[in-house]
Amino acid sequence: MRASLEVADVLRAAGPAYRATHAGHLSLQQLKVMSAIEHCRTAALGGHVEACTDCGHWRIAYNSCRNRHCPKCQGAAARTWLAAREADLLPVGYFHVVFTLPAEIAEIAFTNKALLYDLLFKTASETMLTIAADPRHLGARIGITAVLHTWGSAMTHHPHIHMIVPGGGIALDGERWISSRPAFLLPVRVLGALFRRLFLTRLLALHDAGKLAFFSQLAPLADRRALLRHLSPVRKKRWVVYAKPPFAGPEAVLAYLSRYTHRIAISNSRLLRFGESGVTFRYKDYRRSAPDRQQVMTLSADEFIRRFLLHCLPRGFHRIRHYGLLAASTRKAHLERARQLLAIAPPATDEPSIEPPDPRPACPCCGGRMVVIETFQRCHLPRGPPYPIVPSGMPTP
């Protein structure tokens, strides 16, 4: 069911003026995202007409943009991704670990997204794998599913990595499964210290190689001494690594993943109003106690669009990555070995049924099957009211 207010409504109404005002300051990727969301599920992308073979009910279905920043297109993508990941789950506790960049680093990352988001992935995963393999801690090879989020609840720029990690791993000699403690995976202070050292060392290496870009107020940081002064407080600050208690079983892991893997900066369900006063939406203020966290904010349409576009990812950038036991090249072998060590049977593979399931959607009126009776191309509409479908069992007129 369509939400009463969508991000697409805001972009269609205020997007043209925003593009005109900021001409020359929007990237091609941002322009493409705006266009895709504005045209998603409209005649601009084409579509088809479906009719029920039983009752004759018909409807028009427009094509989706499938852009990964579109609020309407992430549900199907998440379901497809989750179906592929379900077979990877092990019957162990799973932990949720979050690595967050300090604000001083986040502002550098904003103008160097591809480089520093990639560096965030690499240093966070290496930190987890290194500390987990240390015999003083877990002493095992672990698996990681990592998801990048670049926003806070109010759509401000706040890059951080969410990780889902099994509560244990394969011993370094490969001969046994080592389980973590029930409510403890790895020490967060040790993780934070190594994460800080690795990230700052590699950030300076990128700077020395001339790969970082600095603009506006950050332009002086092109000088190495200025950058060192900027990073001085960060070196003394504790970097936040947060580990939540384990999930209550694999089903809870899947429920979590379905909410996080394909999430975008703001969903349509959080929008409340849009008018001359601006866009009003719900957000969580994590500085408040739990009962008072749900708050309401109103932004001008320009500011709402600006914040939304802050989170456009570079073209081709992978925001979901797997490491350790779950790395794509070795996932199958590692999961088979883990199941052997845990003495559990491999997931059952469904035998092909004699009669394949009917791929046609069900009719919303009678439960019959909808068939495509007409297709139309981009920027066109159906030719007219579709030819009537004669319900089965009735004589043809």
Side-chain angles (χ1 to χ4, degrees):
M1 183 180 293
R2 186 187 188 277
S4 58
L5 177 61
E6 299 179 349
V7 172
D9 297 325
V10 179
L11 293 181
R12 290 186 196 115
Y18 186 87
R19 283 188 286 265
T21 303
H22 301 278
H25 297 282
L26 296 175
S27 68
L28 178 60
Q29 183 71 1
Q30 290 173 322
L31 292 172
K32 285 183 175 180
V33 168
M34 291 181 71
S35 176
I37 296 174
E38 289 172 15
H39 295 139
C40 184
R41 300 184 191 179
T42 68
L45 298 184
H48 60 270
V49 181
E50 299 173 328
C52 178
T53 56
D54 292 340
C55 69
H57 171 78
W58 64 273
R59 65 187 177 191
I60 297 174
Y62 294 113
N63 293 334
S64 301
C65 68
R66 297 188 179 182
N67 190 286
R68 59 177 170 172
H69 301 91
C70 176
K72 288 184 289 191
C73 292
Q74 296 312 296
R79 288 190 293 272
T80 302
W81 187 86
L82 285 170
R85 299 282 79 77
E86 189 171 3
D88 296 345
L89 290 176
L90 298 170
V92 298
Y94 278 77
F95 289 81
H96 174 198
V97 183
V98 184
F99 286 79
T100 303
L101 286 180
E104 295 87 345
I105 305 289
E107 57 186 355
I108 299 175
F110 179 68
T111 54
N112 298 275
K113 288 183 177 180
L115 279 173
L116 292 200
Y117 291 169
D118 185 63
L119 182 59
L120 174 57
F121 265 116
K122 289 178 178 177
T123 52
S125 60
E126 185 177 337
T127 297
M128 287 292 294
L129 295 172
T130 300
I131 301 302
D134 190 332
R136 293 173 296 178
H137 300 293
L138 192 61
R141 290 176 293 166
I142 61 172
I144 299 170
T145 295
V147 184
L148 173 69
H149 285 184
T150 63
W151 55 85
S153 187
M155 295 198 296
T156 51
H157 188 238
H158 178 61
H160 55 286
I161 294 280
H162 291 269
M163 289 183 173
I164 302 299
V165 186
I170 298 176
L172 301 183
D173 60 7
E175 296 302 317
R176 61 195 177 97
W177 177 268
I178 300 177
S179 296
S180 66
R181 283 185 265 169
F184 179 84
L185 181 63
L186 295 169
V188 292
R189 286 185 177 272
V190 175
L191 292 171
L194 180 58
F195 176 48
R196 177 181 60 195
R197 178 169 64 81
L198 290 177
F199 195 97
L200 291 177
T201 300
R202 292 172 186 176
L203 177 65
L204 289 174
L206 289 173
H207 185 278
D208 293 341
K211 294 184 177 180
L212 299 180
F214 299 96
F215 303 99
S216 188
Q217 296 178 346
L218 297 182
L221 300 186
D223 178 70
R224 195 177 198 276
R225 288 175 297 180
L227 178 64
L228 290 173
R229 287 194 298 271
H230 180 77
L231 297 178
S232 179
V234 179
R235 292 181 181 277
K236 304 168 187 175
K237 183 187 298 185
R238 180 187 170 194
W239 285 34
V240 177
V241 177
Y242 177 59
K244 290 185 178 180
F247 295 97
E251 295 78 10
V253 178
L254 285 178
Y256 170 85
L257 286 174
S258 67
R259 295 195 304 270
Y260 273 78
T261 52
H262 293 73
R263 180 178 285 185
I264 61 168
I266 188 168
S267 62
N268 289 330
S269 61
R270 288 172 54 199
L271 300 180
L272 299 176
R273 293 182 297 279
F274 172 45
E276 293 183 1
S277 60
V279 184
T280 303
F281 61 94
R282 292 191 302 271
Y283 76 102
K284 286 184 181 179
D285 186 348
Y286 289 97
R287 294 169 296 183
R288 296 173 180 261
S289 57
D292 299 324
R293 279 184 180 169
Q294 285 288 350
Q295 299 290 316
V296 172
M297 174 181 292
T298 299
L299 299 174
S300 67
D302 256 32
E303 177 61 11
F304 179 87
I305 295 174
R306 185 193 73 83
R307 292 196 188 188
F308 184 82
L309 295 179
L310 289 178
H311 310 292
C312 291
L313 293 176
R315 182 181 178 184
F317 188 89
H318 293 276
R319 67 179 178 185
I320 306 173
R321 303 186 186 187
H322 307 276
Y323 299 93
L325 301 182
L326 298 178
S329 58
T330 57
R331 175 192 289 127
K332 185 176 180 181
H334 281 147
L335 288 175
E336 286 179 357
R337 182 58 179 158
R339 291 190 178 97
Q340 290 173 4
L341 297 174
L342 289 166
I344 58 172
T349 55
D350 296 332
E351 295 183 3
S353 57
I354 300 173
E355 215 174 291
D358 194 335
R360 297 174 298 175
C363 174
C365 293
C366 69
R369 292 299 173 182
M370 305 288 283
V371 296
V372 176
I373 61 172
E374 180 187 347
T375 61
F376 51 95
Q377 300 302 314
R378 297 166 64 94
C379 302
H380 289 77
L381 292 171
R383 291 188 300 270
Y387 296 109
I389 297 293
V390 179
S392 56
M394 294 182 62
T396 304

Coordinates of all heavy atoms in Angstrom, one line a residue, residues 189-222:
R189 N 37.0 -1.9 24.4 CA 38.1 -1.0 24.6 C 39.3 -1.4 23.8 O 40.0 -0.5 23.2 CB 38.5 -0.8 26.1 CG 37.5 0.0 26.9 CD 37.9 0.3 28.3 NE 37.0 1.1 29.0 CZ 37.0 2.4 29.0 NH1 37.9 3.1 28.3 NH2 36.1 3.1 29.7
V190 N 39.6 -2.7 23.7 CA 40.8 -3.2 22.9 C 40.4 -3.0 21.4 O 41.3 -2.6 20.7 CB 41.0 -4.7 23.3 CG1 42.1 -5.2 22.3 CG2 41.4 -4.8 24.7
L191 N 39.2 -3.3 21.1 CA 38.8 -3.1 19.7 C 38.9 -1.6 19.3 O 39.5 -1.3 18.2 CB 37.4 -3.5 19.5 CG 37.1 -5.0 19.6 CD1 35.6 -5.3 19.6 CD2 37.7 -5.8 18.5
G192 N 38.5 -0.7 20.1 CA 38.5 0.7 19.8 C 39.9 1.2 19.7 O 40.2 2.1 18.8
A193 N 40.8 0.8 20.5 CA 42.2 1.2 20.5 C 42.9 0.8 19.2 O 43.6 1.6 18.5 CB 43.0 0.7 21.7
L194 N 42.7 -0.5 18.8 CA 43.3 -1.0 17.5 C 42.7 -0.3 16.3 O 43.4 0.1 15.4 CB 43.2 -2.5 17.4 CG 43.8 -3.1 16.2 CD1 45.2 -2.8 16.0 CD2 43.5 -4.6 16.2
F195 N 41.4 -0.1 16.4 CA 40.6 0.5 15.3 C 41.2 2.0 15.1 O 41.5 2.4 13.9 CB 39.2 0.6 15.6 CG 38.3 1.3 14.6 CD1 38.4 1.1 13.3 CD2 37.3 2.2 15.1 CE1 37.6 1.8 12.4 CE2 36.5 2.9 14.2 CZ 36.6 2.7 12.9
R196 N 41.4 2.7 16.1 CA 41.9 4.1 16.0 C 43.3 4.1 15.4 O 43.6 4.9 14.5 CB 41.9 4.7 17.5 CG 42.5 6.1 17.5 CD 42.5 6.6 19.0 NE 43.3 5.7 19.8 CZ 43.3 5.7 21.1 NH1 42.5 6.5 21.8 NH2 44.1 4.9 21.8
R197 N 44.2 3.2 15.9 CA 45.6 3.2 15.4 C 45.6 2.8 13.9 O 46.3 3.5 13.1 CB 46.4 2.2 16.2 CG 47.8 2.0 15.7 CD 48.7 1.2 16.7 NE 48.2 -0.1 16.8 CZ 48.6 -1.1 16.0 NH1 49.3 -0.8 14.9 NH2 48.2 -2.3 16.2
L198 N 44.9 1.8 13.5 CA 44.9 1.4 12.1 C 44.3 2.5 11.2 O 44.9 2.7 10.2 CB 44.1 0.1 12.0 CG 44.7 -1.2 12.6 CD1 43.7 -2.4 12.4 CD2 46.0 -1.5 11.9
F199 N 43.2 3.1 11.6 CA 42.6 4.0 10.8 C 43.4 5.3 10.6 O 43.6 5.8 9.5 CB 41.2 4.4 11.3 CG 40.3 5.1 10.3 CD1 39.4 4.5 9.6 CD2 40.5 6.5 10.1 CE1 38.6 5.1 8.7 CE2 39.7 7.2 9.1 CZ 38.8 6.5 8.4
L200 N 44.0 5.8 11.7 CA 44.8 7.0 11.6 C 46.1 6.8 10.8 O 46.5 7.7 10.1 CB 45.1 7.6 13.0 CG 43.9 8.1 13.8 CD1 44.3 8.5 15.2 CD2 43.3 9.3 13.0
T201 N 46.7 5.6 11.0 CA 47.9 5.3 10.3 C 47.6 5.3 8.8 O 48.4 5.9 8.0 CB 48.5 4.0 10.7 OG1 48.8 4.0 12.1 CG2 49.8 3.6 9.9
R202 N 46.6 4.7 8.4 CA 46.3 4.6 7.0 C 45.7 5.9 6.4 O 45.9 6.2 5.2 CB 45.3 3.4 6.7 CG 46.0 2.1 7.0 CD 45.1 0.9 7.1 NE 45.8 -0.3 7.5 CZ 45.2 -1.5 7.7 NH1 43.9 -1.6 7.5 NH2 46.0 -2.5 8.1
L203 N 45.0 6.7 7.2 CA 44.6 8.0 6.8 C 45.8 8.9 6.4 O 45.8 9.5 5.4 CB 43.7 8.6 7.9 CG 43.2 10.0 7.6 CD1 42.2 10.0 6.4 CD2 42.5 10.6 8.8
L204 N 46.8 8.9 7.3 CA 48.0 9.7 7.0 C 48.7 9.1 5.7 O 49.3 9.9 5.0 CB 48.9 9.7 8.2 CG 48.4 10.5 9.4 CD1 49.4 10.3 10.6 CD2 48.3 12.0 9.0
A205 N 48.7 7.8 5.5 CA 49.3 7.3 4.3 C 48.6 7.7 3.1 O 49.2 8.1 2.1 CB 49.3 5.7 4.4
L206 N 47.3 7.8 3.1 CA 46.5 8.3 2.0 C 46.8 9.8 1.7 O 46.9 10.2 0.6 CB 45.0 8.1 2.2 CG 44.4 6.7 2.2 CD1 43.0 6.7 2.6 CD2 44.6 6.1 0.8
H207 N 47.0 10.6 2.8 CA 47.3 12.0 2.7 C 48.7 12.1 2.1 O 48.9 13.0 1.2 CB 47.2 12.6 4.1 CG 47.4 14.1 4.0 ND1 48.7 14.7 4.0 CD2 46.5 15.2 4.0 CE1 48.6 16.0 4.0 NE2 47.3 16.3 4.0
D208 N 49.6 11.4 2.6 CA 51.0 11.5 2.0 C 51.1 11.1 0.6 O 51.9 11.6 -0.2 CB 52.0 10.6 2.8 CG 52.1 11.1 4.3 OD1 51.8 12.3 4.5 OD2 52.5 10.3 5.1
A209 N 50.2 10.2 0.1 CA 50.1 9.8 -1.3 C 49.4 10.7 -2.1 O 49.3 10.5 -3.4 CB 49.5 8.4 -1.4
G210 N 48.8 11.8 -1.5 CA 48.1 12.8 -2.3 C 46.7 12.4 -2.8 O 46.2 12.9 -3.8
K211 N 46.1 11.4 -2.1 CA 44.8 10.9 -2.6 C 43.6 11.5 -2.0 O 42.5 11.3 -2.4 CB 44.8 9.4 -2.3 CG 45.8 8.6 -3.1 CD 45.7 7.1 -2.9 CE 46.7 6.3 -3.7 NZ 46.5 4.8 -3.5
L212 N 43.8 12.4 -0.9 CA 42.7 13.0 -0.3 C 42.4 14.4 -0.8 O 43.4 15.1 -1.2 CB 43.0 13.1 1.2 CG 43.1 11.8 2.0 CD1 43.4 12.0 3.5 CD2 41.9 10.9 1.8
A213 N 41.2 14.8 -0.9 CA 40.8 16.1 -1.4 C 40.2 16.9 -0.2 O 39.4 16.3 0.6 CB 39.7 16.0 -2.5
F214 N 40.5 18.2 -0.2 CA 40.0 19.1 0.9 C 39.4 20.3 0.3 O 40.1 20.9 -0.6 CB 41.1 19.4 1.9 CG 41.7 18.2 2.6 CD1 42.9 17.6 2.1 CD2 41.1 17.7 3.7 CE1 43.4 16.5 2.7 CE2 41.6 16.6 4.3 CZ 42.8 16.0 3.8
F215 N 38.2 20.7 0.7 CA 37.6 21.9 0.1 C 37.1 22.8 1.3 O 36.9 22.4 2.4 CB 36.4 21.5 -0.7 CG 36.8 20.5 -1.9 CD1 36.6 19.2 -1.7 CD2 37.4 21.0 -3.0 CE1 37.0 18.3 -2.7 CE2 37.8 20.2 -4.0 CZ 37.6 18.8 -3.9
S216 N 36.8 24.0 0.9 CA 36.1 25.0 1.8 C 36.9 25.1 3.1 O 38.1 25.4 3.1 CB 34.7 24.6 2.0 OG 34.0 25.6 2.7
Q217 N 36.2 25.0 4.2 CA 36.9 25.2 5.5 C 38.0 24.1 5.8 O 38.8 24.4 6.6 CB 35.8 25.1 6.6 CG 34.8 26.2 6.5 CD 33.7 26.1 7.6 OE1 33.6 25.1 8.3 NE2 33.0 27.2 7.8
L218 N 37.9 23.0 5.1 CA 38.9 22.0 5.3 C 40.1 22.1 4.4 O 41.1 21.3 4.5 CB 38.3 20.6 5.2 CG 37.2 20.2 6.1 CD1 36.7 18.8 5.8 CD2 37.7 20.3 7.6
A219 N 40.1 23.1 3.5 CA 41.2 23.2 2.6 C 42.6 23.3 3.2 O 43.6 22.7 2.7 CB 41.0 24.5 1.7
P220 N 42.8 24.0 4.4 CA 44.1 24.0 5.0 C 44.6 22.6 5.4 O 45.8 22.5 5.6 CB 43.8 24.9 6.3 CG 42.7 25.7 6.0 CD 41.8 24.8 5.1
L221 N 43.8 21.6 5.5 CA 44.2 20.3 5.9 C 45.0 19.6 4.8 O 45.6 18.5 5.0 CB 43.0 19.4 6.3 CG 42.2 19.9 7.5 CD1 41.1 18.8 7.8 CD2 43.0 20.2 8.7
A222 N 45.1 20.2 3.6 CA 46.0 19.7 2.6 C 47.5 19.7 3.1 O 48.3 18.9 2.6 CB 45.8 20.5 1.3

